[in-house]
Amino acid sequence: MDWSSRAHKTLQNPRFFLTKIPVGWGECHLNDTRILCWNGRERCEGWGYLGAWSEGERAILESLGQLLENKMWSFVQEISLREAEAWLRDRNSQAALPEDSYQDLREFWGDIQQAIKEWASGGKVLRDFHFPSEKTFSSLSLPEKIQQLKAFFSSERLSGFYRQGGRLEVLDVEGMTVYIALFCSTIPPGALLDWLQLTLAETFREPALNLIPEDFPSRTP
């Protein structure tokens, strides 16, 4: 079947495709290089996607961006990809693009909705983290180190820290030294840093890992 002219125009002039995730945005990594991200605590104030999405998926993601813009996050739990496809139609009676062109996105949509629900309720999307058994931290390249650290700091291992209002971001890595922006909220900083240091050394199989904390620009979360 032919694609709608609206779907073609959407792909020719994408509004929401990004080359990197903006600082402070929520994100959902699928099982490969595809990433969806968003911003806004109560409503959708930012929407974007990165990576190797198919044309059909990109068209649907662009449509979702248009439909979700400035909407409350509860709307995400109600909207379907069928509605996003309908927004791309030239005529109501004719589909805008084949269903199989965004089939993978349909399979992941429930996971994406859940990730956004977690973000809206707690400001952080937490996932399981498993460091590759065949690697050590020292064997990784700088981008790999940063990627693994970010994944660890966004894992369920830190759920208690985030529930108490803590904030943490990776700033830089130099060898075995990791610089982080840290807001401890009501948690004693010394005890938290000791725990983080021990947990990182064990998780990444690198006893020489050293954490250097710095303040966020604002002390309020």
Side-chain angles (χ1 to χ4, degrees), residues 5 9 21 29 50 63 67 85 124 132 134 142 147 151 154 160-161 176 193 216-217:
S5 60
K9 290 177 181 177
I21 303 171
H29 294 241
L50 306 80
S63 174
L67 292 169
E85 181 272 325
K124 200 76 175 175
E134 73 280 4
L142 177 58
Q147 180 183 32
S154 294
F161 169 70
M176 295 297 105
L193 282 170
F216 278 89

Side-chain angles (χ1 to χ4, degrees), residues 37-47 68 70-78 113 116-117 119-121:
C37 58
W38 56 85
N39 192 34
R41 184 60 56 224
E42 297 182 351
R43 62 181 69 243
C44 180
E45 298 174 8
W47 181 259
L68 295 175
N70 296 316
K71 296 288 199 312
M72 299 297 290
W73 283 126
S74 57
F75 183 65
V76 176
Q77 310 307 316
E78 304 169 5
Q113 288 174 308
I116 294 175
K117 184 177 181 179
W119 163 267
S121 62

Side-chain angles (χ1 to χ4, degrees), residues 131-143:
F131 187 62
S133 59
E134 73 280 4
K135 294 185 177 182
T136 61
F137 189 78
S138 59
S139 69
L140 303 178
S141 66
L142 177 58

Side-chain angles (χ1 to χ4, degrees), residues 145-156:
K145 288 178 179 178
I146 293 174
Q147 180 183 32
Q148 290 292 332
L149 286 165
K150 285 184 174 181
F152 173 78
F153 289 133
S154 294
S155 73
E156 292 177 336

